[in-house]
Amino acid sequence: MSDVVAMVDRLGRAFLEKDLEEALACFVPEDDITYVGSEAGESAHGRAAVRELLTDLFARPAAYTWQATSATVHSLPGAAFVIAEADGAEHGADGAVEPFPYRITGLLSRRSSGAWLWRAVQGSEPARTEEPARTEEPA
C-alpha cells in the first residue's frame, strides 16, 4: 500500500509548491470529491468548490506541506482508507519554517490504470498535550 501513502506526500508537495493543477490532479476526475483542512471554514465538496478553496489557501503568504511518517491503510475492493501521521511545516514568506504535527485521513479510489487518487481527504493538527504542572507534596 506504499502507493496510497505516496499520495499523502504528493498532495503535500503540491501544497508546498502552491500548484493548484497538481493538487487537483491528486483527486479523482469526477465531481464527487471533498477536501477538509484543519481550520474552521476549510471545507469543500465538489470539484469547483475544492478548486475555489485551494485557490484561497494557496493565495496565503505562507505555504504548507507535510510528509507521512507512518500510516494505517485499510483496503477495500477498488478503494483504500488511509490514516497517516505526518511531519507538517509552515513555510513563511520570510523563509522561516515552523514544523508541526499533522494528520491526513481520507478515501482513495483505484483507477483502471492502477493509480490511486483521492476522493475525500482531511488534514488536521492533532491536539498537543502538555505535561501537567508538577506540584510539590507538603513535607
Side-chain angles (χ1 to χ4, degrees):
M1 300 271 55
S2 63
D3 291 349
V4 170
V5 178
M7 287 305 296
V8 172
D9 295 344
R10 179 179 170 193
L11 189 59
R13 282 190 306 277
F15 266 66
L16 176 61
E17 296 166 3
K18 297 185 177 188
D19 186 334
L20 179 61
E21 296 310 318
E22 174 60 17
L24 289 170
C26 292
F27 288 86
V28 296
E30 295 85 14
D31 190 50
D32 185 23
I33 63 171
T34 301
Y35 175 81
V36 179
S38 60
E39 296 179 23
E42 291 181 354
S43 179
H45 178 74
R47 184 161 298 281
V50 171
R51 175 181 287 280
E52 183 179 338
L53 175 59
L54 294 181
T55 298
D56 291 346
L57 294 178
F58 294 170
R60 294 177 179 175
Y64 300 89
T65 190
W66 55 83
Q67 185 169 13
T69 56
S70 65
T72 300
V73 178
H74 297 274
S75 321
L76 307 162
F81 181 77
V82 64
I83 304 166
E85 300 298 326
D87 288 335
E90 177 183 347
H91 293 254
D94 62 356
V97 178
E98 288 290 325
F100 57 88
Y102 207 54
R103 181 175 295 136
I104 298 287
T105 58
L107 178 66
L108 294 103
S109 293
R110 187 165 201 141
R111 310 312 289 179
S112 59
S113 67
W116 289 99
L117 294 173
W118 292 104
R119 180 157 306 271
V121 61
Q122 177 190 15
S124 63
E125 293 183 49
R128 299 177 194 201
T129 57
E130 294 183 24
E131 294 260 338
R134 295 183 185 211
T135 57
E136 296 289 326
E137 294 285 327

